[in-house]
Amino acid sequence: MDDDARAHPDAAAEGTASRPDEPAGRAGTWPAPSAAAPAGHTGAVVADRYDRVVWHDTYGQSAALRELAGELGERHAYTADLLTDAFLAAYKAAPRLRGAAEMEHSRLVNHRVVAALLDSPGFAELHRETVGDPYAAAMAVLAQAGALRRMLDDARPARDRDERVDRARQGAGDAVTVGAEAPRQTGDEADRGDGGDDDGTVPSPAADAVRQTAGDAARRAAADAGRALAAAVPGVPGAARGAVARSAAGARKEAALMRAWGVGAGEQERMSFDERARLAERLRTSRLAEWAELIGRFRQMADGERARKVENATGELIGVTLGDDLSRVVPSELASLGLPELRAVFAARYAAGELMLYDSRGEQATGRGAVIACVDTSHSMYEAGPGGITREAWAKACALSLLDQARHGGRDFVGIVFSAADKLRVFRFPAGRPAGPDRVLDFAETFLGGGTSYQRPLTAACELLEEEFNDSARRRGDIVMLTDDDCGVTEEWMRGWNEAKRRLGFRVFGVGIGAPRVAAAGSVLEALCDNLRSVEDFTDVHAAADLFRVI
């Protein structure tokens, strides 16, 4: 049978009927049952075996999908096929919808719902986030759950009529099948010449009557189903537009959260469905979830500053100076080595450090010890500044960017969260191990409250650098102090601090957050730090951009 006959089974049946100009006594051949009612497709989206394997795996891993399927299945038929189609539409790179004529009538409502989803203006935006990602596609289906319920409720009359069409078509097939048994039951009479033919035919009036009855019933049911579906159509596109818009917004927000917290696409792919769902939920409910955009912008800024950083390079030429660096000697000085009588002069000037050298300005290789971020979480850090951003949010965004900085340079990172002298937590992220998102979130979400003590966190940082030096002989670490308060230290502690700093060669950077007096001349923080700055506008992520060029 050709494709048109499969798509229009009534036409196929009618094609076997006697033509009006045929003799009335001409016998008609009973059609096979399969010709009377060919089976249509139950899936609206064209899919191969691999696509269906992905769907079954995802469905098996997602308890939420199974719950949704069970809930919808209690009220509506064929919802499992609808969820499959909605998933494949979001997951496949180029989803293709079957023609309505190819579908089982009982699945035409599914077809219309999926067509409305694909035709929605926001579907392309949603598809960018979900294509090829089973988890994101499943989340899109779950986000559309409410709209799917409404569309199925609105289309219930159409669904009932579609089922009657299928029953009528099946009835037509059964009638033809039953009629086809008649020649075999009267085979003996046919052999005796009692009205039957040897080739298994029966008089055409009987065949025509069966076809006519079955065809009329199927056509009436199809017409009723078409009217019911048309009545349901006006509400479907609107509901689909809302569903797609909401799911696109949810997918975009979740993708932004993952990027902001440094969870790359490769890391997400390695997670199981449940692990990724738990992580996404934790990110959404995190204390700093509302500052995800700030964290993302901060990390993006730091990445850009790293791109500008030049290591082991002479930098920009700005003039001529004096010294003994033979790699930067100007050509006129080197020319004197060609004359024997001037070689002694060259040697004398070299010994005195008076050779003319090219002077350059550039950024050289910096510290190779651990990067330690000391983050103040006293009560005052919870205060909001410009843009409603809290001091804590800005400090944590900076600290997370320093974590990226350390990992980019192959250096250990340590996050020290502190407040009063008896409140401190240390989070270590060794360079040779993955920085798991759960551990990163633990660090970012920790807030201790209370007052502020400098000595306790800086002593802990110094001890960590001492341990690193003893274990691997690494020096030149970097400590970044992020605080909004100024507090005193004892003279004895200060002497020990300066001695450790000289011995280990570390640098200290200070950031006064929303408190100019902390970074003012004569402050305790100014005495502790080699490099100090104040941040007033918390919406400005570039206020500390130079940190990522020198650390």
Side-chain angles (χ1 to χ4, degrees), residues 59-347:
Y59 183 83
Q61 294 179 49
S62 173
L65 278 178
R66 296 194 297 275
E67 290 174 5
L68 176 60
E71 176 194 341
L72 295 179
E74 291 177 357
R75 295 172 52 84
H76 305 281
Y78 314 119
T79 52
D81 292 330
L82 177 59
L83 294 182
T84 304
D85 285 331
F87 172 85
L88 294 174
Y91 173 75
K92 288 178 64 67
R96 181 167 64 87
L97 199 65
R98 298 186 193 279
E102 301 177 63
M103 300 294 296
E104 286 279 356
H105 268 76
S106 59
R107 304 321 197 272
L108 283 178
V109 167
N110 290 359
H111 183 278
R112 181 61 192 176
V113 168
V114 176
L117 293 174
L118 289 170
D119 291 340
S120 298
F123 182 79
E125 181 182 359
L126 170 65
H127 197 238
R128 282 194 294 271
E129 302 292 346
T130 60
V131 61
D133 187 339
Y135 170 85
M139 291 298 105
V141 174
L142 293 172
Q144 296 163 5
L148 292 176
R149 292 187 193 96
R150 290 194 298 275
M151 288 187 283
L152 289 173
D153 287 340
D154 292 343
R156 183 185 289 276
R159 175 84 75 186
D160 295 340
R161 286 170 173 79
D162 286 341
E163 291 177 3
R164 285 200 287 273
V165 170
D166 278 343
R167 287 196 295 270
R169 291 189 180 279
Q170 185 61 45
D174 292 344
V176 173
T177 302
V178 171
E181 297 296 330
R184 290 189 286 275
Q185 293 173 1
T186 60
D188 293 341
E189 295 179 4
D191 292 340
R192 294 194 301 269
D194 293 334
D197 293 334
D198 291 338
D199 59 356
T201 63
V202 296
S204 60
D208 290 344
V210 173
R211 294 191 188 95
Q212 185 67 37
T213 301
D216 288 347
R219 280 190 292 275
R220 284 194 300 272
D224 288 345
R227 286 190 293 271
L229 184 58
V233 162
V236 170
R241 282 195 296 273
V244 169
R246 284 190 296 275
S247 56
R252 187 171 59 251
K253 183 177 180 180
E254 183 166 316
L257 275 173
M258 292 290 186
R259 287 193 296 269
W261 287 98
V263 184
E267 188 173 2
Q268 294 176 46
E269 291 175 1
R270 290 191 295 271
M271 295 179 186
S272 69
F273 189 95
D274 287 341
E275 287 175 336
R276 189 166 167 186
R278 284 195 298 270
L279 174 61
E281 179 62 22
R282 186 175 179 188
L283 292 178
R284 282 191 293 269
T285 58
S286 165
R287 290 184 58 256
L288 299 180
E290 60 182 311
W291 313 123
E293 182 186 1
L294 170 71
I295 295 170
R297 287 192 295 116
F298 220 115
R299 293 179 119 161
Q300 186 176 17
M301 175 276 296
D303 189 57
E305 293 301 321
R306 276 194 297 274
R308 295 176 54 190
K309 187 174 180 178
V310 180
E311 297 186 354
N312 299 317
T314 56
E316 177 187 3
L317 180 65
I318 60 173
V320 176
T321 187
L322 298 178
D324 59 359
D325 187 349
L326 296 177
S327 66
R328 295 189 290 136
V329 175
V330 301
S332 60
E333 289 279 26
L334 292 174
S336 63
L337 292 175
L339 300 174
E341 57 272 20
L342 294 180
R343 290 174 185 170
V345 176
F346 180 92

Side-chain angles (χ1 to χ4, degrees), residues 290-291 383-390 538-539:
E290 60 182 311
W291 313 123
E383 295 179 10
I389 300 172
T390 64
F538 300 161
T539 64

